[in-house]
């Protein structure tokens, strides 16, 4: 899922930028190349100075790599990534290591990205949460910043992903809905079979039921007809998740889980989203999970 998987790209001070220079201008092609190279050189920005809202292209064309600088471009131009926010790793004197740094970014960047664009359904296809984080070398030089980004792993997109101001009903819906799916995926047990970790699956069900309870409370204040219908369906789903959470054995869990999982199928929220003037195209990865 788009709110549960964070990819990683590393920031380092040891990487160098290779800029192509044209020594002689003998034809229009060489002149165009020279102009393009000059423009790119002017747009270079250190990864240490990136700010929320900046749109950019990695110099090596791949997000999963060490970078010293990137090409910052106007957001209306095709680009591969946009910075959504940053934070500093505090309370650590020694470099925590790549795995720990990744864990911190994995935990914090999705929430930062969600503030920038609350409705993940509005993101272009293929855009996910990435980040630039300190390497061992940059940490020694004083780097503590993690820059969270929305980045397209292959290809580019145009325009800023910054969300336009949302009204109270839209925010209430998105906050509750996002929390439900976050509870589902962040509590997903590693065991593929319920029989191998009934306690883990019951814990997941309890977390989803709690998130649904909060979501349902917020939806009470939205009286638009399709949203009222959605709330009724989610009440049934919440009851099924509660039964799954208190199941005495795997058979009872499976009986409850079938209705619980299908009850939060994102495809069933499209009518309410349309009514609330939110994005209505189910992301491909979510559609695949709930496909018949």
């Amino acid at each position: 899922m788009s709110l549960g998987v964070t990819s990683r790209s590393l920031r380092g001070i040891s990487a160098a930028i290779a800029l192509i220079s044209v020594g002689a201008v003998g034809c229009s092609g060489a002149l165009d190349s020279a102009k393009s190279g000059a423009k790119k050189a002017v747009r270079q920005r250190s990864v240490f100075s990136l700010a929320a809202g900046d749109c950019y292209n990695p110099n090596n064309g791949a997000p999963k790599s060490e970078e010293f600088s990137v090409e910052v471009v106007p957001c209306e131009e095709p680009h591969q990534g946009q910075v959504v926010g940053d934070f500093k790793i505090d309370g650590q004197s020694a470099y925590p290591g790549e795995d720990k740094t990744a864990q911190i970014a994995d935990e914090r960047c999705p929430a930062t990205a969600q503030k920038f664009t609350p409705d993940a359904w509005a993101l272009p296809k293929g855009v996910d949460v990435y980040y630039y984080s300190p390497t061992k070398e940059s940490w020694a030089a004083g780097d503590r910043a993690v820059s969270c980004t929305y980045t397209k792993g292959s290809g580019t997109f145009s325009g800023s992903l910054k969300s336009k101001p949302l009204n109270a009903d839209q925010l209430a819906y998105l906050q509750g809905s996002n929390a439900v799916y976050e509870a589902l995926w962040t509590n997903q047990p590693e065991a593929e079979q319920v029989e191998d970790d009934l306690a883990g699956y019951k814990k997941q069900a309890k977390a989803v039921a709690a998130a649904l309870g909060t979501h349902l409370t917020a939806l009470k204040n939205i009286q638009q007809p399709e949203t009222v219908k959605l709330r009724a369906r989610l009440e049934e789903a919440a009851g099924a998740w509660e039964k799954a959470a208190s199941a005495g054995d795997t058979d009872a869990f499976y009986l409850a889980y079938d209705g619980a999982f299908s009850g939060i199928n994102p495809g069933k929220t499209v009518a309410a989203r349309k009514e609330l003037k939110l994005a209505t195209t189910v992301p491909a990865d979510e559609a695949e999970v709930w496909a018949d």
Side-chain angles (χ1 to χ4, degrees):
M1 305 300 294
S2 59
L3 292 176
V5 178
T6 308
S7 301
R8 181 172 75 252
S9 65
L10 299 176
R11 167 164 60 185
I13 61 173
S14 59
I17 308 165
L19 295 177
I20 300 176
S21 61
V22 179
V25 181
C27 64
S28 61
L31 179 59
D32 289 343
S33 179
K35 288 180 178 179
S36 177
K39 178 186 287 187
K40 183 173 181 178
V42 169
R43 290 177 169 183
Q44 293 303 307
R45 178 89 61 81
S46 166
V47 290
F48 301 98
S49 63
L50 290 174
D54 284 344
C55 295
Y56 70 93
N57 288 307
N59 282 310
N60 59 16
K64 294 183 180 180
S65 63
E66 292 189 4
E67 287 278 7
F68 177 61
S69 71
V70 294
E71 179 192 12
V72 174
V73 303
C75 289
E76 60 268 21
E77 292 186 11
H79 53 277
Q80 196 171 352
Q82 182 171 18
V83 181
V84 299
D86 57 40
F87 64 87
K88 291 187 180 298
I89 299 177
D90 297 320
Q92 308 265 359
S93 55
Y95 178 58
E98 183 178 334
D99 290 344
K100 180 62 176 179
T101 301
Q103 179 186 347
I104 294 171
D106 286 341
E107 291 172 352
R108 295 186 60 177
C109 276
T112 299
Q114 199 172 97
K115 292 178 182 178
F116 194 83
T117 310
D119 190 0
W121 288 27
L123 296 173
K125 184 178 180 180
V127 170
D128 209 338
V129 180
Y130 285 72
Y131 51 82
Y132 287 111
S133 60
T135 63
K136 183 177 181 180
E137 292 78 13
S138 68
W139 184 279
D143 180 25
R144 299 293 185 272
V146 174
S147 296
C148 307
T149 77
Y150 271 133
T151 299
K152 193 166 185 177
S154 177
T156 60
F157 60 95
S158 299
S160 173
L161 300 180
K162 175 68 175 176
S163 176
K164 295 179 180 178
L166 301 174
N167 62 41
D169 286 352
Q170 291 171 322
L171 283 172
Y173 173 84
L174 289 172
Q175 288 171 355
S177 177
N178 289 341
V180 169
Y181 295 106
E182 183 177 355
L184 176 69
W185 299 121
T186 58
N187 290 282
Q188 180 69 31
E190 292 185 6
E192 294 185 6
Q193 302 296 325
V194 175
E195 292 84 349
D196 296 329
D197 188 8
L198 177 60
Y201 277 93
K202 289 175 65 175
K203 178 182 177 182
Q204 179 194 44
K206 183 178 181 180
V208 175
L212 274 169
T214 302
H215 189 26
L216 288 166
T217 298
L219 291 181
K220 282 184 178 180
N221 297 321
I222 305 176
Q223 295 303 312
Q224 298 189 58
E226 291 298 336
T227 308
V228 170
K229 292 177 185 178
L230 174 61
R231 187 177 186 281
R233 289 196 294 270
L234 291 179
E235 283 180 337
E236 294 182 10
W241 282 106
E242 289 171 357
K243 288 182 179 179
S246 60
D249 54 39
T250 55
D251 288 344
F253 182 90
Y254 277 123
L255 287 173
Y257 187 80
D258 185 50
F261 191 74
S262 63
I264 60 170
N265 183 336
K268 297 179 179 180
T269 69
V270 170
R273 280 177 156 271
K274 183 176 181 180
E275 182 178 69
L276 293 169
K277 294 181 173 56
L278 296 169
T280 56
T281 300
V282 183
D285 53 353
E286 294 189 23
E288 183 179 355
V289 170
W290 273 270
D292 294 332

